[in-house]
Amino acid sequence: MAIQPYQKDSNVSNPIKRIRWATQRVTGANEQKKRHSIIGRLHHRKVGSSEKKRESGEGSHLDGIHEETDTSTESGDQEDSRRRIFFNIPLPEDAKDEDGRPLAKYARNKIRTAKYTPLSFIPKNLWFQFHNIANIYFLFVIVLACTMLMHHAEQFFSIFGASNPGLGSVPLIVILFVTAVKDAIEDWRRTVLDNELNNSPVHRLVEWNNVNSSADNVSLWRRIKKGTTRGIMQMFRFFKSKSRRKSHDEKIYAERALDEPRPSGETMRTRHSVSSRTSFHSVQSRAEVDEIQMTPVPSPQPGQRGVTESSRLTSGERPGTSFSYEDDNLVLETAYGKLASPNGSNDESCPAPAKFYGNLIDPLKSVPGKAKFKKDHWKSVQVGDFLRIYNEDQIPADLVVLSTSDPDGACYVETKGLDGETNLKVRQALHSGRKIKHAKDCEQTEFVIESDAPQANLYQYSGAARWTQRDTKNPAEAGTQMAEPISINNLLLRGCTLRNTEWVLGVVVFTGRETKIMLNSGMTPSKRSRIARELNWDVIYNFVILFFMCLLSGIINGVIWSQGNNSLDYFEFGSIGGKPSLDGFITFWASVILFQNLVPISLYISLEIIRTAQAFFIYSDTFMYYEKLDYPCTPKSWNISDDVGQIEYIFSDKTGTLTQNVMEFKKCSINGLPYGEAYTEAQAGMQRRQGVDIETEGAKAHKQIAQDRIKMLEDLRKMHNNPYLHDDELTFVAPDFVTDLEGRSGPEQKLAAEKFMLALALCHTVITERTPGDPPRIEYKAQSPDEAALVATARDCGFTVTGRSTDGIILNILGEEREYTVLNTLEFNSSRKRMSAIIRMPDGRIVLFCKGADSVIYSRLKRGEQQQLRKVTAEHLEMFAREGLRTLCIAQKEIGETEYRIWNKEHDLAAAAIIDREDKLEVVSDAIERDLDLIGGTAIEDRLQDGVPDTIALLADAGIKLWVLTGDKVETAINIGFSCNLLSNEMDLIVFKVQEGSPGSAEAELDRHLASFNITGSDEELKAARKNHEPPGPTHAIVIDGDALKLLLEEGLRQKFLLLCKMCKSVLCCRVSPAQKAAVVQMVKNGLDVMTLSIGDGANDVAMIQEADVGVGIAGEEGRQAVMSSDYAIGQFRFLQRLILVHGRWSYRRLAETIANFFYKNIVWTFALFWYQIYNNFDCSYLFDYTYILLVNLAFTSLAVIFMGILDQDVNDKVSLAVPQLYRRGIERKEWSQKKFWLYMLDGIYQSLICFFMPFLLFRPATFNTSNGLDLNDNKRIGVYTATATIVVVNLYILLNTYRWDWLMLLLVSISILLIWFWTGVYTAFSSSDQFYKAAPEVYGELSFWVLTLLTVSICLMPRFTIKSFQKMYFPLDVDVIREQVRQGRFKYLDKYEAYVPPGKVPSAASSDVSQPAKAVPGTRTPLEDDERPIYPPSVAATGTTHNARSQNGSDGTDYTGHKPSFEQPRVSFDRPRPSFDRMRNSMDQIRPSYEASNDFTSAALLTRVESSHSDVHTSKARHGQSSLR
């Protein structure tokens, strides 16, 4: 905002200043250079950065904006990268070239994601295809075949024996053509989408001069490209109109999902529809925009006024920590003195005049008035254009918002197209541009925007608008130079959609490939499957074999020519080379052509076809279709499907992946009293661990909850007939809370309850949507589900947020309307771990409400106060966390008027900064969020997804190890682990308690645990671990937090930690950052040489998804960034079992068998030719007709092997899930190995011997005459004998290796076999076949042919058949046993299931789902006593032996551990029943001694010891060496 110098009497701030932080900024070495003051650049000033200069006025002081600039100079590149955009101002000389045109060249807004154009397709596609080494090899072979030498007078002949080079190129041409067609189809789809997007309509200001771009001079080359494209498009439309096509409505979802987006409920509305939600501001807003005529559209809602976008939680580093102060004496140095926290400050105040923000419109400027907004195409938009965007329209380019239909300057965008999030975000118009409404206003503006260079960070932008403010009263004056900073809050990004806002007017700053969405459109890192990597070596082996075969042929042929006096001298008319050495050289290259089929060129295209079909089957699997989101399992990387069948380790996020990320408010603690009834899945898991009959206990709890729910609803209705309370939406069941809210327990508890609910209703950034009805319905849209759950609970209890006024929030409190002025909102981000709202209450008081993580809030409480309350609340929060609930603390602080006025000035300066704006805001916010009073805590349940425990158990049975990498608390993760079968009673939990910065203690801890497994972490043990794929026994599990993990991932300790984890059944890493997630995946993947899969649903999971061999994204509540970066996208975690155990196993086994059979069939064919060379001096004569060589891989043997890779099944999907142990062959990589490769190669060599020498022995006596007296002993006829037998053997061999013999497979094998008879009969019927003419009737008419073929096939296949029979009878594999049991009918019971669900597993026991858990399995081992097997649920906070870097306060230094009595503290109205609290307290009392023995390693113990922000840090450092909480 443009800020004028402060007046001395200015003591009241302007309301509603909501600032967000760019939470993905990564601090770099040149950050200060990159983020230099834009305004400073405009003035070309050089100022110092010290605080003294700033206070004395030596620094930059521009219209009230205090700027600190770095003294370092900028590089030339940085000078050139920034941009200045001029609006109705002539370009300065330094911005023009010698011709007077703009010097800056900006990207066109036309986007082309397609690889090719009609002109570039052929050369570019061939260029890409010849990156394949096999294609280059076969092109080289064709070139050899076409090589000619002149002999005598103009006579040409082939020197390398290829009789028809044209036919020799057919296989390569077919492969190139098929691949090109596939690429063309894919690219055509992209082209169509590009054209639709580029030609989308937008209202652009025309008939005015945009000085930032010159006339578009279309070059000749662009004209040619455009003409070619138009011609092809017209041809396509012509043929498309002639052909019949299926209507859009008849498409099945699998087809429809490929060519159109799936609209959500919010995207179904169009701009021409009227929303059912009404707004009392709609009339007012229309009046204030001077009656702009437009189509009726939904207007902003009362609950959507002035709400700023919530901060995105990201993985980027931020300077400092959550606590940016070191001791209690810290005060904020400001330009106006020191900001302290006076308790008795003078609160007298007087109203201050409103700030003047300026106006971009020059009222003294005369304009022609011809400009108007006209509908145009996106591709016509240029930098510097004025655009008007209407409701439901997509944003065509990155633009700065000047004005909106909202009088407050707010607009609402949906960023689903950008980051996948469906919740609405708020953007604000520039203060100085809010009067720009019409085209004439745009003409009257005169200003310059100086902007950052294009960058990919979606959450960061720095710019400034600069103009001269003219005074209408004194038109002769030069005017005042003014500037307003532009942040990401003022920017609408391309790809977003305008929602609930009638219109927005803005100016374009980035177009086309320079927009943020295009800069972020990089693809997922390219991944290659393990088989593909190993396949390269097998191809190399074949090249080596080919080389030696050719070398042997060349040497022998050259030697024979050198000997003389042999048959060559009588039957040949001299050699081609003229001398033996050259003859051998030529023979070498002729052999390359002859034996070319040894290198399988068709293997690659066949694998592409197979993988494409497998991806289609995965996509079409209706059992992995998530109906709620209309989302099938979507393969995004088609070339790694076989890797899914070899997964040994799965790394999973928790929130939104194992859980639903649908938050339900369950419990709270207010003024030391717990409220709420719930029976959570984690609680059931903990009771199961204690040997409790959870079936009985669960039924009792659910019955009690149902009764309490009815009572609470009755009490709420009696207290206030809340029209916004819907019985089915109530999640907070606490009848005693209603009693306390009515005041029956005394005024103190009533006041505390009201204060608590008021904090929930005021401290948030939700958007309110009101749906008319009887009763009416109010819904809340928030960035995080947690925040929406908190506000919804306040609504249910009578504290309803009904909307927002221009400068505040409107509440309905038990039927009474009240308005609260929001002065500032300090929003949540991953660094602060808290958010605050500064509210002016109706009575004039200023109150700060703050909510955040327990350790963050506790460190900011008033020193020495509320000790008992803090202790009891901490224990309640720990109890809630043990139940698997997500906890937050609520606190408040009353601020004096003087204190706030001083702080707000610094806040305004920080908000106006361009350099380090986020850092300055964080420092200023940190100063005010101190000396808080604790109100209470909240507990929210994130329920497990359906089928998660069953899926985890099934994957464990398959031998897959699952690690959970989460940012949640340790206690929460442990109890979720028990509820979803990751942890069990029989496991010992290894909880790492490592003091930060102490690698020695970490190594000692590691050695101690390694010794219990009798290992030391040596290199030999690591080598043995790499070979051992057996799952560890369910005896141990590791729980570790991010601080300890940071130490254990260091080079010296990583190997030991890896081996320790290898010995444990489950590993839970808690409080870990995205970078740590990726580091853990990399450690396991590279350290153990295993296949890994990562699965998550949020942006913080992208790093590990991309690091793993296979990345799976869940389309959930946290947006679609994980989906966009993944290899496979699914709707629910439970679909992972089918993806891995069914499709993954099938794909791996099919591809492994296909590749082995491919190499086998090429060996048989090629070596049959090689054996023939023995008897013709290796002169590279052809035993077969040349067409046989061309068609052998293209037609005769391709169908069977390709469809083996597509359709073969050893067992069906239900059996694959019923017997997950079948998957272990993939983990052990037994389906494809070098041993299998060489066995198939040897089998092929053996069969090639039989296929050649059987006909050879038949013809060897040279007495073979037919009935007509003619013989058949020429090589072409012998070749028919050999080729036919070889083709039959190869196809039957493939059939023999196929598990599934259905009618389709038998038909394909039969067609492949009969095809050689068909081709021989047809081809030899024409005289153009030369010497091959009439070969078919001559050969097929002989009985010897049929007998020999039968004998050859039998002898070739007998060894394979015998060995397979012996193996299956005496050494059966697991799958052989299961297949036999299927034949016996032992899996008939699966027929009653549509999709197999493992029976007998424990179902979820969520508090909102009264499903009955299964009974405990009899015969299980009795759990050990606590003193024999202590359980250590760790905490996020530090103790005497652990350290937490996320906190920064001192400790009181006590060793107090007596926290158990706090549970028996007398409570108000103790006679009222609190079943859930008592039930949980009793459960905790059973295990409390083990925790006490663990040296206070609990949240409650830690938080009790946490002192306030004014604790004596020096004392703490003296005792602990450093602050225990930083």
Side-chain angles (χ1 to χ4, degrees), residues 646-795:
Q646 306 172 69
I647 300 300
E648 185 170 356
Y649 283 85
I650 294 178
F651 301 91
S652 174
D653 181 36
K654 185 186 79 67
T655 304
T657 304
L658 300 178
T659 60
Q660 297 180 15
N661 203 21
V662 176
M663 307 302 175
E664 295 181 352
F665 190 105
K666 293 296 182 183
K667 298 188 176 185
C668 64
S669 175
I670 304 174
N671 195 31
L673 291 181
Y675 298 97
E677 300 296 324
Y679 189 70
T680 64
E681 293 159 320
Q683 186 177 354
M686 185 174 66
Q687 290 179 340
R688 187 187 304 119
R689 173 180 44 166
Q690 298 167 357
V692 176
D693 183 359
I694 61 172
E695 182 178 0
T696 304
E697 184 69 17
K700 185 190 306 181
H702 285 301
K703 182 179 179 181
Q704 181 66 49
I705 292 171
Q707 295 173 355
D708 290 342
R709 181 189 185 88
I710 296 172
K711 185 176 187 305
M712 181 175 183
L713 288 169
E714 292 176 351
D715 293 344
L716 283 173
R717 298 292 185 193
K718 291 178 183 177
M719 182 176 62
H720 165 56
N721 189 16
N722 187 356
Y724 306 108
L725 172 62
H726 296 270
D727 296 359
D728 57 333
E729 295 180 357
L730 181 67
T731 62
F732 178 48
V733 180
D736 50 343
F737 171 79
V738 182
T739 302
D740 290 348
L741 189 60
E742 290 177 327
R744 300 181 191 177
S745 302
E748 180 183 355
Q749 193 63 20
K750 176 183 178 181
L751 181 62
E754 291 177 346
K755 195 181 298 182
F756 180 85
M757 284 298 164
L758 195 61
L760 298 187
L762 293 174
C763 187
H764 59 79
T765 57
V766 302
I767 297 173
T768 306
E769 285 194 352
R770 183 197 301 265
T771 303
D774 187 19
R777 182 180 295 270
I778 288 185
E779 296 177 355
Y780 300 112
K781 287 194 172 184
Q783 180 182 353
S784 68
D786 303 68
E787 192 169 56
L790 295 175
V791 180
T793 297
R795 174 200 63 196

Side-chain angles (χ1 to χ4, degrees), residues 146-215:
C146 293
T147 302
M148 301 290 184
L149 285 178
M150 183 176 292
H151 183 67
H152 297 297
E154 304 298 330
Q155 295 182 7
F156 294 86
F157 60 91
S158 172
I159 65 172
F160 293 132
S163 60
N164 195 334
L167 280 177
S169 61
V170 169
L172 180 62
I173 292 174
V174 170
I175 289 170
L176 294 178
F177 177 76
V178 171
T179 306
V181 169
K182 167 179 162 289
D183 294 341
I185 293 173
E186 292 178 355
D187 208 63
W188 177 256
R189 301 180 78 92
R190 286 192 288 264
T191 302
V192 170
L193 294 176
D194 288 345
N195 290 336
E196 290 178 359
L197 194 65
N198 291 327
N199 294 317
S200 299
V202 65
H203 291 81
R204 186 170 72 97
L205 189 70
V206 296
E207 297 187 18
W208 76 290
N209 182 26
N210 183 356
V211 300
N212 301 283
S213 60
S214 59

Side-chain angles (χ1 to χ4, degrees), residues 1027-1320:
K1027 298 178 181 178
N1028 179 19
H1029 299 283
E1030 288 295 321
T1035 58
H1036 293 78
I1038 288 181
V1039 179
I1040 185 171
D1041 72 347
D1043 297 321
L1045 186 63
K1046 181 179 179 182
L1047 286 175
L1048 298 180
L1049 287 177
E1050 293 180 357
E1051 187 64 32
L1053 304 179
R1054 187 187 309 153
Q1055 181 171 313
K1056 291 184 177 181
F1057 177 62
L1058 176 61
L1059 287 172
L1060 178 62
C1061 293
K1062 178 81 168 61
M1063 305 302 294
C1064 296
K1065 182 70 173 178
S1066 301
V1067 177
L1068 278 71
C1069 300
C1070 309
R1071 293 294 195 186
V1072 291
S1073 67
Q1076 286 179 315
K1077 291 182 178 182
V1080 171
V1081 175
Q1082 184 184 47
M1083 174 188 72
V1084 175
K1085 181 178 72 172
N1086 298 335
L1088 296 178
D1089 188 27
V1090 294
M1091 301 298 294
T1092 58
L1093 180 148
S1094 293
I1095 180 170
D1097 72 319
N1100 59 337
D1101 303 316
V1102 170
M1104 73 171 182
I1105 284 175
Q1106 294 183 344
E1107 179 63 38
D1109 295 290
V1110 178
V1112 178
I1114 292 183
E1117 303 292 332
E1118 291 189 12
R1120 300 286 172 87
Q1121 281 189 317
V1123 165
M1124 291 187 288
S1125 303
S1126 65
D1127 303 304
Y1128 293 87
I1130 59 178
Q1132 291 276 277
F1133 182 85
R1134 67 177 183 273
F1135 298 147
L1136 204 60
Q1137 57 178 297
R1138 283 191 68 85
L1139 179 62
I1140 294 177
L1141 302 182
V1142 177
H1143 294 284
R1145 195 182 71 84
W1146 280 351
S1147 298
Y1148 171 59
R1149 206 203 62 76
R1150 288 167 176 170
L1151 276 175
E1153 200 63 38
T1154 296
I1155 294 172
N1157 282 273
F1158 234 105
F1159 282 112
Y1160 149 80
K1161 71 185 184 67
N1162 286 357
I1163 281 287
V1164 175
W1165 183 264
T1166 306
F1167 268 84
L1169 282 172
F1170 182 76
W1171 305 132
Y1172 174 66
Q1173 302 305 309
I1174 297 174
Y1175 301 97
N1176 59 9
N1177 299 322
F1178 286 90
D1179 65 354
C1180 297
S1181 300
Y1182 283 72
L1183 173 63
F1184 309 131
D1185 184 79
Y1186 194 64
T1187 58
Y1188 281 4
I1189 296 177
L1190 299 181
L1191 295 175
V1192 62
N1193 278 329
L1194 206 60
F1196 297 152
T1197 60
S1198 59
L1199 284 179
V1201 73
I1202 288 175
F1203 277 88
M1204 166 197 270
I1206 295 176
L1207 299 176
D1208 192 24
Q1209 282 185 16
D1210 48 4
V1211 293
N1212 62 31
D1213 57 338
K1214 296 179 183 179
V1215 177
S1216 296
L1217 293 172
V1219 190
Q1221 291 80 3
L1222 294 175
Y1223 186 83
R1224 295 191 180 184
R1225 282 186 64 82
I1227 294 176
E1228 298 169 358
R1229 302 171 201 163
K1230 290 185 177 179
E1231 295 292 351
W1232 176 251
S1233 63
Q1234 291 303 307
K1235 177 182 177 182
K1236 181 174 184 175
F1237 168 76
W1238 288 112
L1239 285 176
Y1240 273 71
M1241 295 282 282
L1242 293 175
D1243 204 356
I1245 293 174
Y1246 158 75
Q1247 294 184 26
S1248 69
L1249 287 168
I1250 302 301
C1251 288
F1252 172 75
F1253 282 103
M1254 286 291 286
F1256 173 79
L1257 295 175
L1258 176 66
F1259 284 92
R1260 185 178 183 185
T1263 58
F1264 198 88
N1265 294 323
T1266 63
S1267 57
N1268 60 8
L1270 300 177
D1271 59 15
L1272 298 176
N1273 58 3
D1274 66 295
N1275 61 348
K1276 301 297 182 184
R1277 270 67 178 173
I1278 298 175
V1280 175
Y1281 278 80
T1282 305
T1284 304
T1286 303
I1287 296 303
V1288 174
V1289 165
V1290 166
N1291 281 284
L1292 291 181
Y1293 187 84
I1294 293 172
L1295 183 64
L1296 196 63
N1297 291 325
T1298 303
Y1299 280 104
R1300 181 170 177 169
W1301 287 19
D1302 54 13
W1303 67 269
L1304 180 59
M1305 194 66 193
L1306 294 174
L1307 177 63
L1308 292 171
V1309 171
S1310 302
I1311 290 174
S1312 299
I1313 292 174
L1314 294 176
L1315 201 57
I1316 190 171
W1317 270 279
F1318 173 78
W1319 173 254
T1320 306

Side-chain angles (χ1 to χ4, degrees), residues 246 248-257:
K246 189 187 303 181
H248 178 78
D249 295 336
E250 293 174 352
K251 290 186 178 182
I252 60 173
Y253 87 91
E255 295 173 330
R256 190 172 64 251

